[in-house]
Each structure stands twice: as structure tokens, then as C-alpha cells.
Amino acid sequence: MSANTPSPTRSRSTHPAALLPDDPPVDAALARQHKLTADEYARITSELGRPPTYTELGVFSVMWSEHCSYKSSRVHLRRLPTKGARVIQGPGENAGVVDIGDGYAAVFKMESHNHPSFIEPHQGAATGVGGIMRDVFTMGARPIASLNSLRFGRPDHPRTPELLRGVVAGIAGYGNCIGVPTVGGEVQFDGRYDGNILVNAFTCGVARTDRIFYGRATGVGNAILYMGAKTGRDGIHGATMASDQFRDGGPSQRPTMQVGDPFLGKLLLEACLELFAADVLQGIQDMGAAGLTSSSVEMAGRGGNGIELSLDDVPRRARHMTPYEILLSESQERMLLVAKPGMEGQVLAICRKWDLDCAVIGRVTATKRWVVTATPGYDPLDPDPATTSPVVVCDLPIPALTDDAPIYDRPQGDAAPSAVAPPELPPPGDLRAELLALLSSPNVGSKRWVWRQYDHIVRGGTVVLPGADAAVVKVLCERDTEGALRGGDVSRVEKLLAFSVDCNGRMVELDPFVGAAMAVAETCRNLVCVGAEPLGMTDCLNFGNPERPDVMRQLARAIDGVAAGCKALDVPIVSGNVSLYNETEGRAILPTPTVAAVGLVRAMEEVVTPWWKAPGEMVFLLGASPVDSGLLAGLAGSEYAAQKLAQPTSGSISPARCPGPAIDLDREKRLQQLVLALARARRLASAHDVSDGGLAVALAECSTTTPGSVVPIGARIDLELPIDVPPDSLEIASLLFGEHPSRVVVSVRPVDAEFLVEAARAASVGAYELGVTGGTSLSISVARPHAAEGQGVVIASMLASVDDLRTARESALDGVVGR
């Protein structure tokens, strides 16, 4: 393991920071309490040429935390592809930006709020949503859609109902109030998340390409302004807490929790958009993790400048706050602004209009140092404030807090092999019962209980609702924002954006590289299934303790898998987040490198949905045959295997006789290009990705995911196995329930069937005719070829009414949250 070393020639301040009367003595032991190692503390003292003050120690502890510095992952993140023809801004800013044409851009990012949501589910999830929205609109974009990716423990764990209800209520409470639709996401349950849930929040906004704003402190002498909610003591050391692991005994860190106010967030959003239109800002940054400290330090670092701040001028809502508390507070709904020269008055006036606190608290300097002053004992809320003079409480070199923060290339190693042999997967029983059991399981069945609590149609642009492969939102982009503010006519251009998020932690545990590549492939496959071209991705890499070589190996290999998937599909990573130390008492979560993607649909007529549209449509399976990758391979890490093995951690190990997961990225690319081409040719009646639960579940979903006003349609499906096996064999189970990648079920009108087959042949993609839609039941038969007569002989079959399938799907969360 190695870390970068400080520059011995960096200039030092001739006026070291003052020690305040109530500050505790700073030493290596106190540094350790701040989650800094002995080596890191020694490096700080060497960098400064003196011990840090108590306030400076707090600043280093948050800026050098995993949450802010990415010190264990930066060396690996460099391998991700981040450039592309449409990329306007890649990683390193508040959010990524991709061109969507006609002078507009999609601005998006995903971040974790895992630890806060486990401690206090409602506020943890709510402030996660608020924070990711601010990351987007601080770039100049109006948020138009949100997603979430959630992981909880076992459905029967005592805390799971409380956590699920709290998280969903927090997401709904913030998103619904601020008026941004939550249009989709995913929810999974596994025993490995019992002690550490995951809450990953995604937001996308739209901005003009000539109106992108950046978090940079430029223009020496420019005023720095504080805007938004007053500063309180909530959230102090939230960034450090997010870089720590839990201990047994339950949540115990409520003082580090942030509290959100979506109504104030709405005022902040509208005020920021008006400031952007008025063109009065040089830079802007959300006060997120580590609050005023990280926002000001990062702005200075990106701008290559220094900053001077006066804490006396920071609006406060708590009495007698110390500089340490003011700098490390993570009070929500706050922004840091750099005004253009002479524009401070206009900024203040716009903030007053929106009833927001705003104050000039500093200026940009050329020193490349972060200098903070405060008056000892001063409290603006005190009727008799102190009259002593301000003193310097922090004087630190900007590079030491940003680019020159520690970077570790930590040791990697595989986990020790288990002494317990993997259990033998039992053969399937009654196939109808097996299918209904899968459909009613919390990981496979409908998540309607979750998304019906979200306002997914606010702003009136949602075209494809939650429950499909991907959400689609129509955006009317204003060509003349200034004209709109003056009440003039505004011309608009319509854009259709699609959104998807995905990860299967069980697959990643079996093979981090393959599992991560599969997550990228499935997320993009979901987009093409609704007729969207994937434009860019954001990731949220959730792992355990990186100081463990086996976890570090998982993280590094998963990053390589994400990179391979993105390169193969030509979809760059433009933003992201890393969340480490997700474990309790050494028990790590499933490795969960979640990825979300944004796609573009050319026209409303090219939007495709997953349900059958009419009787008599022909059903095809496009992509890989289960035999191509080994018939039993699809059972490894599958939901079917998890149920059958009844493992405490959902059966993540590969069952006996089943090889691990595999994916052919070249085949995946050809499949996705074919599905997109068919959608654009308007030849698809429906399209649906085959994923959790396998082919049988996908077919059942095509029969049951119809909107409430549409009558569901069944289908008759005839499958064939190329080998002679008994009806209760694992091969039958794998054909029906195996989770082989790179497959899409489509339906077409009979007149379009020949076009589909020819297009698939030209693209070198398999196209297998499965059957025909119609009736009120789903019938699936499995045949094997008869050597003598050359005709198939049915060896297994199932029949279930569409009503029974739908009832099973809709009951999936009843055991967790009730009906």
C-alpha cells in the first residue's frame, strides 16, 4: 500500500491559525478519533510545519475521508471511460453533462446516502434526494426526473419493514414536495444488507449547453456569498460518519444526521435558476458533505485559487456555534456562490425575492490557501455580541485538501475459500407453483407499493410510468429563458429522455468483473427496450471495508467490469460516487456497483413498452440462447437458486454443477443495436428484458404489466431443449428460470415477423420464435426433439391464468409492509 507524499517546497503561512480558548489539545490520539491514521496525522503536521488546530483537524478529517477524497478508489476510478462525442462534462464536477441535441444537455448524477438512511430512514433518504437534486441544479439544470436504487435486509428481518417504510416516505416526501417526479428505480432484499442498507439516489435535469455552470472559484477579488438555509448543528461530521462502519447494537450516530426541508429546497431551486438566467454568477457549489468546508475548498481547488472566509457573516440558527461546528455542519438547502464583479447586489436582491438568507462571507484570492477568520465568542444571535477582533482559525494550503490528499493503492486478495461445500440445487417441482412463487417474491414481484407513493407524473411529462424496463419523460426545453422571465413568448423543443438503474449484487459476488459488466449491459438493455439510445452513465459503487484485501479486490475488479461494459457499448461514465465501509462488525454487504443510464428517444412513435398489445402477435426471443453460455450457467446467482437453497444470505454462492455467470459483450452490443433499430423502424409491438427470474418471469410480466385501463393478454409459448432430459431436471429449471444475460423478449405483428428475422440475421443476433399472444392464460410447454419422427415431444408444461399471475406479482411486498 502506498500514498502520495506532500510537496516539501509548498509555501507556508506566516500567520498560523490561532488556538481558541475552548479547543482541546490536538495529538495523534485525537486525530484517531477523527478517523485519521497515525501516518496521516504525521503527514498533516509535516505539511503545515506545526500541529493543526482543533478546527483544522476537523477540516482534514472530513476532506481526507473516503466520502470526500476517494482515497481508496481514485487509483482505480481512473480506468473508467469518461469521454465521448456527447460528453460536455465528465467526472470531477457536481454532475455529469451530455449533449442531447438542439442546444440542450442532460445533467445527471447518482449518489449514496446509505449510512444516514440506516440511522434515520426518513431523513436519511429525504436528504439524499435533496442533495442529489442540488448537485444537478447547481449546474444550471432544472431537475426533470429522479430514480432510486434501494437495498434492504431479509424481508423477515425485524427492522426491514421500518426501514422500507421510512426510506420510501423520505424519498416521496422530498421529491413530491419539490415537484420533481420519481419515475422508477429498483428494490432488492438480501440478508447481507441486514446491518447496512443502501439508498442510492439519481436525478437528471436539462439545461442549455451554453448555460452550464461550474463549481469553480475564479476571478481574484470576486465576492463569495452564502445562500439558503441558516447553519445549525445538524449533520456535523456526516462525511466522516459515511466513511465509517457500523457496530453492533443498532444506530447510535443520530447527532450526525442532516434534516431536510423540501419547501425551502424548492425556493432554492427557483432562485438558482433565476440567478443563472440573470448571468450574475462566476461559480456555484452545493454545500453537501462536509458543508461549507468542502464546497469552498473544492471551488478553490477547481479554480486554482485561494479563498478567504469570515465565519462571523455566516447566517446561523443555533446559538454559540464554534468555528469547528460552523465549518463542518451539513445543514441542508445551502449554496455557495461566486458573484461576477460588482454583481453582489443583484444576487442579494434575487435571494430576498425568494425569501432566502444570503450574505457576502468572503472573497477569492490568488494565494491557493484556505484562510478562515472568526471572532472568538462572537454570536450574531446574542444581544450583546463579543467586541474582540477576528482571528485566523484556519490557514491551510488548498492542494493539501484536494488533489494532494492521500491516495492509497490498497492490497488486494481473494476471499478465503469456504470450508463448506456448496449445497446441491434440488430439481424443480410443479412448474406453475415455481413460477408463482418467484412472481410473489419481494425481489421479483411488483414494487407498486413503493412507486405509488411517489408523484411520478408531476410536471406532466412522464410517458412511460414506473414498472417498465425504463422510464421515459417528455421534456419541453425552453429556447429563451430570459424571454420567459420577462413574460415574453418562449419557443420550445421537445425531448424524450429515458432512465434506468440496475445491479445484481449476487452476480457481482460470484464474479466482480462479470457481475459489474452485466449491470452495465442490463441498464443499457433496459433503455433500448423502450426505444432509447444510451448516452451516458453514472455509477454508485457500494462496497465494504477497503482495508480488507478481499473487498478491495471486489472493488477493483468491479470497476474494471464497469469499464469493460461501458467501452463495449460506447457509453461513458460522466459522474458517480463511491460508498465504502458498508458493513457491520466485519460483515460486508453484497458488492453492489449500481449504475444508472440516460437515453434519448427520437420520437414518441418509437417508444416501446413491455406488455403484449393485441392477440395474435408473434413472440420472439432475441439474443443468446441458454445453450450458448452453458444451459445451467443461468442458475448461478439467480433468484430461483436463492429461493431453493434458502440460504441466510439468499444463496449467493454458485450451486453445485452450475458455473459462474458469463457475458459476451460483443453479442450484447449487437443485440442492443438490433433492438434499437427495430424500435426506430417502428416494428416492435413490445420489448422486455429477460433478467430477474428468467424467461418464464419475463413472459409473465409481459402478460401482467399492462396499465390499469388495458385488458391483459396471455400467450401460448412453445420452448425446445436440444437435449433429452427428464421433466424434473435442472436443465428445465434453467431454461425457464435461469438468468442468462443478453436476451430480450419481443412481440411483433405477423406482417413484421419476416422483417425482424432478416434484421436479426443481418446483425448476427439469434431470433427464436416462441409463440403467439392471446387468451387469458400463459401457457408454456417445453419439448425435446424426437429422434425417430423429428417432432418435438413435450416433457414439461405449465398453465396459469393472467389473473393468478397478476395476483402473485401484486402480493410481493405484502409480507413486508402488509396489504
Side-chain angles (χ1 to χ4, degrees):
M1 180 175 67
S2 63
N4 52 329
T5 55
S7 168
T9 61
R10 181 175 296 140
S11 62
R12 291 172 177 155
S13 172
T14 56
H15 302 286
L19 297 174
L20 300 179
D22 295 329
D23 284 354
V26 175
D27 55 19
L30 185 61
R32 186 60 193 158
Q33 293 178 26
H34 281 68
K35 311 301 179 185
L36 292 165
T37 67
D39 287 344
E40 288 170 346
Y41 178 68
R43 180 175 167 181
I44 291 169
T45 59
S46 173
E47 181 76 47
L48 301 180
R50 58 176 172 82
T53 66
Y54 179 60
T55 302
E56 290 174 332
L57 181 69
V59 167
F60 272 106
S61 75
V62 294
M63 294 307 300
W64 284 12
S65 68
E66 289 284 359
H67 194 76
C68 291
S69 74
Y70 295 83
K71 58 188 175 185
S72 295
S73 57
R74 251 194 294 176
V75 67
H76 302 290
L77 295 174
R78 294 166 180 163
R79 300 195 293 273
L80 292 172
T82 59
K83 300 183 183 301
R86 289 184 178 267
V87 176
I88 296 174
Q89 175 64 53
E93 267 289 346
N94 289 290
V97 185
V98 297
D99 195 329
I100 59 175
D102 297 308
Y104 294 96
V107 181
F108 57 95
K109 189 180 182 182
M110 180 166 57
E111 280 203 344
S112 62
H113 233 223
N114 304 334
H115 287 58
S117 299
F118 186 66
I119 295 169
E120 211 297 304
H122 188 286
Q123 286 299 337
T127 52
V129 172
I132 198 62
M133 285 188 186
R134 291 193 299 275
D135 280 342
V136 167
F137 71 72
T138 193
M139 300 288 292
R142 177 177 288 280
I144 55 98
S146 291
L147 305 175
N148 50 75
S149 176
L150 311 177
R151 296 292 186 277
F152 298 95
R154 291 164 294 162
D156 60 353
H157 188 277
R159 282 205 73 197
T160 296
E162 163 215 345
L163 291 167
L164 176 60
R165 288 193 183 99
V167 165
V168 170
I171 292 170
Y174 207 102
N176 296 355
C177 291
I178 203 170
V180 176
T182 302
V183 296
E186 57 163 4
V187 184
Q188 293 285 309
F189 300 84
D190 192 284
R192 293 282 287 277
Y193 304 107
D194 279 349
N196 197 127
I197 66 173
L198 302 183
V199 175
N200 294 174
F202 165 97
T203 291
C204 179
V206 171
R208 284 171 44 171
T209 54
D210 60 348
R211 294 283 181 86
I212 305 297
F213 288 80
Y214 299 96
R216 300 169 189 170
T218 57
V220 173
N222 283 346
I224 297 172
L225 295 94
Y226 173 114
M227 171 193 183
K230 291 180 171 66
T231 294
R233 288 190 172 89
D234 49 320
I236 294 174
H237 266 299
T240 309
M241 174 269 291
S243 304
D244 198 9
Q245 49 193 318
F246 288 123
R247 303 285 185 260
D248 277 342
S252 60
Q253 302 186 62
R254 292 186 188 275
T256 64
M257 283 300 304
Q258 310 94 333
V259 179
D261 181 347
F263 300 104
L264 186 59
K266 173 65 172 175
L267 297 177
L268 190 66
L269 163 61
E270 300 300 337
C272 283
L273 294 178
E274 185 167 342
L275 288 168
F276 299 145
D279 198 22
V280 295
L281 299 183
Q282 197 79 37
I284 179 170
Q285 175 83 8
D286 168 42
M287 291 192 215
L292 179 58
T293 293
S294 65
S295 57
S296 57
V297 167
E298 289 171 2
M299 289 186 81
R302 294 191 194 110
N305 288 312
I307 277 184
E308 290 181 359
L309 297 176
S310 169
L311 299 187
D312 292 351
D313 299 314
V314 172
R316 311 179 200 179
R317 65 169 181 263
R319 298 286 303 274
H320 307 300
M321 291 189 72
T322 66
Y324 182 103
E325 293 172 326
I326 296 170
L327 287 171
L328 301 189
S329 167
E330 294 185 11
S331 295
Q332 298 293 285
E333 289 81 44
R334 301 182 300 163
M335 291 283 187
L336 195 65
L337 317 176
V338 177
K340 287 187 172 181
M343 296 292 189
E344 304 94 307
Q346 290 177 252
V347 174
L348 292 167
I350 291 173
C351 291
R352 282 195 299 270
K353 170 187 171 181
W354 290 99
D355 199 23
L356 293 170
D357 279 288
C358 189
V360 177
I361 65 168
R363 66 186 183 93
V364 179
T365 70
T367 63
K368 295 190 178 182
R369 297 191 71 83
W370 189 69
V371 179
V372 182
T373 63
T375 299
Y378 174 75
D379 184 355
L381 302 178
D382 194 323
D384 298 310
T387 57
T388 56
S389 299
V391 298
V392 174
V393 294
C394 290
D395 187 350
L396 303 173
I398 295 289
L401 300 172
T402 55
D403 293 340
D404 292 346
I407 299 176
Y408 296 117
D409 189 357
R410 296 191 184 276
Q412 300 178 35
D414 293 327
S418 172
V420 180
E424 182 73 28
L425 187 63
D430 179 84
L431 296 179
R432 179 181 182 276
E434 302 277 20
L435 175 58
L436 292 175
L438 277 172
L439 289 173
S440 62
S441 69
N443 282 346
V444 174
S446 171
K447 307 304 188 296
R448 185 173 178 271
W449 180 91
V450 174
W451 58 257
R452 72 182 180 185
Q453 299 181 58
Y454 304 148
D455 189 341
H456 46 271
I457 59 173
V458 65
R459 298 183 60 83
T462 308
V463 174
V464 178
L465 303 179
D469 291 74
V472 180
V473 175
K474 178 175 65 177
V475 186
L476 293 177
C477 304
E478 297 179 351
R479 291 189 183 277
D480 185 6
T481 306
E482 293 176 349
L485 292 174
R486 295 192 300 269
D489 293 334
V490 179
S491 59
R492 294 178 172 90
V493 59
E494 181 179 287
K495 293 292 179 181
L496 289 163
L497 295 178
F499 311 100
S500 177
V501 60
D502 195 83
C503 183
N504 186 330
R506 292 197 299 265
M507 296 296 184
V508 181
E509 184 177 52
L510 289 174
D511 188 317
F513 179 93
V514 173
M518 290 173 69
V520 171
E522 183 171 345
T523 303
C524 294
R525 198 183 315 129
N526 287 332
L527 293 182
V528 300
C529 281
V530 298
E533 175 192 0
L535 302 183
M537 302 196 81
T538 181
D539 59 19
C540 199
L541 308 178
N542 307 275
F543 289 82
N545 182 351
E547 297 167 48
R548 287 173 42 186
D550 58 320
V551 171
M552 198 64 235
R553 174 70 171 171
Q554 288 178 335
L555 174 61
R557 291 295 292 156
I559 289 173
D560 287 339
V562 170
C566 289
K567 290 175 183 175
L569 301 176
D570 194 22
V571 184
I573 295 284
V574 299
S575 59
N577 171 242
V578 179
S579 175
L580 303 180
Y581 295 97
N582 288 290
E583 58 181 58
T584 300
E585 292 296 325
R587 298 186 299 274
I589 62 165
L590 283 175
T592 314
T594 307
V595 291
V598 175
L600 181 67
V601 184
R602 298 190 310 185
M604 187 72 74
E605 295 78 13
E606 296 175 8
V607 173
V608 185
T609 48
W611 55 87
W612 314 131
K613 300 304 185 297
E617 295 172 349
M618 299 181 67
V619 180
F620 286 84
L621 177 67
L622 299 180
S625 163
V627 181
D628 293 341
S629 55
L631 190 56
L632 294 182
L635 293 177
S638 68
E639 185 65 23
Y640 176 84
Q643 286 194 10
K644 284 291 187 178
L645 295 174
Q647 292 292 304
T649 59
S650 292
S652 295
I653 58 174
S654 178
R657 297 206 293 128
C658 298
I663 186 170
D664 183 333
L665 290 172
D666 289 335
R667 174 185 288 153
E668 179 72 38
K669 182 176 182 178
R670 295 195 303 272
L671 170 65
Q672 294 193 19
Q673 290 174 334
L674 171 65
V675 174
L676 183 60
L678 291 170
R680 288 179 167 178
R682 305 178 189 180
R683 301 289 186 139
L684 296 179
S686 70
H688 186 33
D689 167 46
V690 179
S691 57
D692 296 340
L695 178 59
V697 165
L699 293 166
E701 289 169 343
C702 291
S703 292
T704 58
T705 55
T706 52
S709 60
V710 178
V711 177
I713 300 170
R716 187 185 73 249
I717 303 298
D718 299 309
L719 306 177
E720 185 176 281
L721 275 173
I723 54 177
D724 189 358
V725 296
D728 61 350
S729 69
L730 284 181
E731 285 78 7
I732 298 287
S734 184
L735 178 67
L736 295 173
F737 309 121
E739 297 177 14
H740 308 268
S742 309
R743 297 184 297 165
V744 174
V745 170
V746 301
S747 67
V748 296
R749 298 169 298 173
V751 69
D752 292 322
E754 184 177 352
F755 182 93
L756 179 145
V757 171
E758 289 301 319
R761 183 179 296 114
S764 298
V765 173
Y768 309 93
E769 184 177 344
L770 300 185
V772 63
T773 64
T776 59
S777 297
L778 175 65
S779 167
I780 303 177
S781 65
V782 181
R784 58 174 171 76
H786 192 282
E789 301 176 7
Q791 296 179 350
V793 175
V794 174
I795 57 174
S797 64
M798 71 170 73
L799 176 69
S801 71
V802 171
D803 287 342
D804 287 346
L805 297 174
R806 174 172 276 182
T807 298
R809 287 192 72 246
E810 295 296 331
S811 69
L813 295 181
D814 287 356
V816 184
V817 292
R819 291 186 180 273

